[in-house]
Amino acid sequence: METGTDSEIGKLLALQELDVRIRQIERELKDIPERKKLEEDRLATHKQDATKAEDNQKGRQASIKELELEVESRRQKILKIRGQQAELKTNKEFQATESEIKSIQGEIKGLEDKELELMSNLEEANRQLGDRKKSLADEAAVVQRDVSVWDDRAASLEKEVAGLRAQRQDVVPHIRETAWLKLYERVFTRKDRALVPIEAGICGGCHMQLPPYVVHDVKKQGTLVTCNYCGRLLFEK
Ligand SMILES: [Zn+2]
């Protein structure tokens, strides 16, 4: 037959079951923003890589443009010299301009070789940029999916915990031993469980062998006995 005290313990155990689950959910909910942030940080790394690849590609394009301008200005210079050659008086002056043109042509050749090399680098940079953009798009899709999984999980946990809190509010008014309830709540804030069974004289929380007088007290009705070692509340199964 169930005694009054037993049923009070029973109600506290029912409350504890709710509280354990509520705490579990609250912890999981607290972790979710951090997990989402890790996902978003991962995506940010991919964005940085893509931006770097884009900067690299733009830098190479700019260098090529610069070389083209340098080549063009030298070509103009040659045209100008050619234009002036008609007015030259001596063969010596003519030879001097010819050798100047030759030297400028040499410069142009050097610049064009450099340009060719940059063009082939640019192709590589374009390929890299394409790869980075592709991997960014892939990663963005994965992150978006994962984040929405976390959001769904959070929503479902919020719903579950709201239901559990409502159940808790239904249970609490039925507990007549309000001093026990207070004690239970105080211990529960510090422990995984506030109420643990005593079995063969051993505390179900810390697994220490309890002194015989404690075991004896637990058997008595109307008291709530605390474990000497861990402070959890003991009940006889
Ligand atoms: Zn204990």
Side-chain angles (χ1 to χ4, degrees):
M1 203 182 84
E2 198 183 52
T3 68
T5 308
D6 280 346
S7 78
E8 286 300 288
I9 295 277
K11 284 180 225 161
L12 282 176
L13 283 170
L15 184 67
Q16 176 164 266
E17 216 172 290
L18 291 170
D19 283 343
V20 166
R21 182 66 189 137
I22 288 170
R23 181 146 70 190
Q24 220 173 31
I25 294 175
E26 283 170 344
R27 281 185 185 153
E28 199 178 334
L29 279 170
K30 206 171 143 244
D31 281 349
I32 288 179
E34 181 59 28
R35 287 168 193 274
K36 280 170 66 177
K37 197 185 168 294
L38 285 176
E39 298 274 351
E40 279 150 8
D41 287 352
R42 214 174 65 215
L43 185 60
T45 309
H46 280 263
K47 271 184 190 150
Q48 277 170 8
D49 286 349
T51 307
K52 231 184 269 171
E54 199 162 8
D55 289 348
N56 183 32
Q57 186 228 33
K58 279 184 184 155
R60 282 170 203 282
Q61 277 173 338
S63 303
I64 291 170
K65 188 93 196 144
E66 217 169 282
L67 284 176
E68 280 169 354
L69 288 173
E70 281 190 46
V71 168
E72 185 51 30
S73 89
R74 279 167 179 75
R75 289 206 172 111
Q76 291 300 324
K77 207 165 158 191
I78 291 173
L79 283 178
K80 202 176 156 197
I81 295 168
R82 292 242 187 267
Q84 289 164 346
Q85 279 179 332
E87 294 152 32
L88 295 174
K89 305 272 184 299
T90 68
N91 195 39
K92 199 179 166 196
E93 282 173 322
F94 184 82
Q95 288 305 331
T97 57
E98 275 303 306
S99 102
E100 194 185 348
I101 287 171
K102 215 170 173 189
S103 134
I104 296 172
Q105 278 168 340
E107 284 172 24
I108 289 177
K109 173 85 176 63
L111 290 168
E112 281 175 343
D113 287 349
K114 223 164 143 191
E115 195 183 335
L116 277 177
E117 197 189 319
L118 279 178
M119 300 262 257
S120 109
N121 285 346
L122 178 63
E123 270 175 43
E124 179 54 30
N126 284 338
R127 212 172 10 250
Q128 271 181 15
L129 179 59
D131 289 350
R132 294 281 182 276
K133 277 186 171 166
K134 167 91 175 66
S135 99
L136 175 60
D138 291 349
E139 196 59 25
V142 170
V143 166
Q144 198 177 26
R145 194 196 59 209
D146 289 355
V147 164
S148 98
V149 168
W150 284 119
D151 286 341
D152 291 349
R153 176 85 185 133
S156 115
L157 288 173
E158 292 284 4
K159 202 175 153 198
E160 188 185 347
V161 80
L164 291 168
R165 284 185 188 126
Q167 278 186 55
R168 193 184 195 281
Q169 284 196 321
D170 289 341
V171 171
V172 166
H174 296 290
I175 298 167
R176 285 189 306 273
E177 297 278 1
T178 52
W180 288 15
L181 177 63
K182 276 207 179 92
L183 197 55
Y184 159 84
E185 283 177 335
R186 204 166 66 220
V187 176
F188 191 80
T189 57
R190 291 182 283 117
K191 301 286 179 188
D192 57 342
R193 275 175 167 68
L195 212 55
V196 292
I198 182 168
E199 271 179 290
I202 289 169
C203 167
C206 66
H207 309 292
M208 293 290 282
Q209 180 77 51
L210 295 156
Y213 73 88
V214 173
V215 180
H216 175 76
D217 284 349
V218 174
K219 287 196 167 96
K220 279 196 298 187
Q221 302 296 328
T223 53
L224 202 52
V225 184
T226 302
C227 169
N228 313 40
Y229 305 102
C230 69
R232 291 184 183 87
L233 308 170
L234 302 162
F235 71 95
E236 207 185 18
K237 247 184 152 177

